[in-house]
Amino acid sequence: MTLIPNEIRRRPGDPERPEPVVPAAAGEPGSSPKPTRRQRLSLLDRTVSPYLYVLPFFLVFAVIGLYPMLYTGYLSFFAWPRFAAEHGRAVGWANYEYVLTDPVFHKALVNTIGIFLLSSIPQIIIATVVAALLDTGLRGRSWWRMSVLIPFVVAPAAVALIFGSLFADKTGLVNDILTGVGLPAVSWHGDRFASWTAIATMVNWRWTGYNTLILLAAMQAIPRDLYEAAAIDGAGALRKFVHITLPSIRATLIFVVVTSTIGGLQIFTEPRLFDTNLQHQGGANHEYLTLAMYVFNTANSATNPYPRAASAAWLLFLLIVAFALVNFFVTRAVQRRSAS
């Protein structure tokens, strides 16, 4: 049988068949050139540089963040001093039992949760509303956006001095206003709920603008076409805010809620500086002693200070994780419900 070449067997009108391409050997004409040194460095820069850029943060975090946290967890199971022959022995969960049964710790726990609720919830609500107002066609928007950050720039000590004068028990401006309208004066340092309110006011005044700018940045990233389409359908401003703005900033809102939770449960500076008589360490009867202040006071006590302070610090850490997870899941569920 005689083999007929393809060129002869192909009839007129048939499509041309591409000839198979045989890869050229290295070094032969038509082979891909060997990458140059600059190309190799460019590839190395794209693959390795991102890790080198973030490496310093993780190194610093490991030294001043992760290691102290792990060491306090280790120290909480021992007596103090750790390496002394007569005291450096393992005590198991004794330090945790002491902290959990301490009445002062119970007061600090209630105070911390109370101040957290009075500060974080109004703070997030006000920040969201103010961010929505700044996202509209407001005159002088740049000036208003910069002005909301001014309280955050003020030093915490200055904030405490200002609000300490406002909420002074006898000569404070707030009490002068209350007595001027016929209401009784409030003992801001002696009444438990009043002290929570004063400290939460300081926290809200300082951090609301910061959270406002974060939420505003998320709102500005929302496509304007969504609002225009909603306006054509007859949606009002409130309906746009509920059905477009809030679902679109869900991730940012969850971030703000989690960070506010962490900061609210770790509050230390405001109640510490609010205490005009520092030897009380949170009020004469611990009216506004927080968990962070309890850790500080325990570390400066006379009996087994650092292990008990480490135990209290880990209990505070677990409380923050629990609240952050609850806030995360609740916020996500609410946002999903509003989006649907």
Side-chain angles (χ1 to χ4, degrees):
M1 181 178 179
T2 305
L3 298 177
I4 302 175
N6 291 335
E7 292 77 10
I8 300 176
R9 288 190 298 171
R10 185 168 53 85
R11 290 176 289 184
D14 291 346
E16 295 185 0
R17 300 178 182 177
E19 296 183 0
V21 179
V22 180
E28 294 183 0
S31 61
S32 57
K34 185 178 181 181
T36 62
R37 181 173 178 271
R38 178 174 295 182
Q39 291 174 337
R40 291 197 300 270
L41 290 177
S42 177
L43 178 62
L44 188 66
D45 178 67
R46 292 195 303 270
T47 56
V48 179
S49 294
Y51 299 98
L52 295 178
Y53 294 150
V54 300
L55 183 61
F57 166 78
F58 288 100
L59 290 177
V60 174
F61 172 74
V63 173
I64 67 175
L66 184 61
Y67 170 73
M69 184 176 66
L70 296 178
Y71 182 71
T72 54
Y74 167 79
L75 185 63
S76 64
F77 293 98
F78 289 88
W80 185 262
R82 167 68 184 88
F83 300 106
E86 65 276 12
H87 296 293
R89 65 186 188 280
V91 295
W93 299 95
N95 293 319
Y96 290 92
E97 293 176 0
Y98 172 84
V99 172
L100 290 174
T101 55
D102 187 5
V104 180
F105 176 81
H106 299 162
K107 288 186 177 181
L109 177 62
V110 175
N111 293 339
T112 302
I113 296 176
I115 296 173
F116 158 70
L117 294 176
L118 289 175
S119 59
S120 294
I121 296 177
Q123 181 185 139
I124 295 173
I125 295 175
I126 297 173
T128 306
V129 173
V130 173
L133 294 176
L134 293 177
D135 194 36
T136 59
L138 192 67
R139 288 187 178 182
R141 286 177 295 178
S142 300
W143 186 87
W144 288 107
R145 292 170 183 175
M146 292 176 59
S147 63
V148 297
L149 198 61
I150 293 177
F152 179 73
V153 181
V154 180
V159 175
L161 289 175
I162 294 171
F163 280 87
S165 300
L166 293 176
F167 292 102
D169 292 335
K170 296 180 180 179
T171 59
L173 178 61
V174 178
N175 274 341
D176 291 342
I177 296 175
L178 293 177
T179 55
V181 296
L183 296 176
V186 178
S187 177
W188 297 105
H189 292 79
D191 184 77
R192 198 175 190 184
F193 184 78
S195 62
W196 295 357
T197 305
I199 295 172
T201 304
M202 285 192 289
V203 176
N204 291 334
W205 184 83
R206 186 164 182 261
W207 288 96
T208 300
Y210 174 82
N211 291 325
T212 297
L213 291 186
I214 295 178
L215 294 172
L216 176 61
M219 291 179 184
Q220 290 184 325
I222 302 174
R224 301 293 106 172
D225 299 342
L226 298 177
Y227 293 106
E228 294 175 0
I232 294 174
D233 292 338
L238 181 59
R239 194 170 182 182
K240 293 178 186 177
F241 178 76
V242 173
H243 294 283
I244 297 178
T245 304
L246 290 181
S248 300
I249 64 170
R250 179 178 59 188
T252 306
L253 193 60
I254 291 175
F255 169 79
V256 170
V257 169
V258 172
T259 53
S260 298
T261 301
I262 295 173
L265 294 176
Q266 286 183 334
I267 185 172
F268 175 82
T269 304
E270 287 81 0
R272 173 69 175 174
L273 295 177
F274 183 72
D275 194 349
T276 55
N277 195 355
L278 294 180
Q279 66 262 27
H280 289 159
Q281 305 291 338
N285 196 25
H286 308 293
E287 290 86 0
Y288 47 93
L289 177 72
T290 62
L291 289 177
M293 294 177 66
Y294 178 85
V295 174
F296 177 82
N297 296 342
T298 305
N300 289 278
S301 61
T303 306
N304 205 19
Y306 297 121
R308 290 177 179 175
S311 304
W314 267 93
L315 292 174
L316 174 59
F317 170 74
L318 295 177
L319 178 68
I320 292 173
V321 171
F323 268 81
L325 290 176
V326 170
N327 281 338
F328 173 78
F329 289 116
V330 170
T331 305
R332 189 172 65 172
V334 171
Q335 290 291 342
R336 285 181 177 178
R337 184 181 180 87
S338 62
S340 60

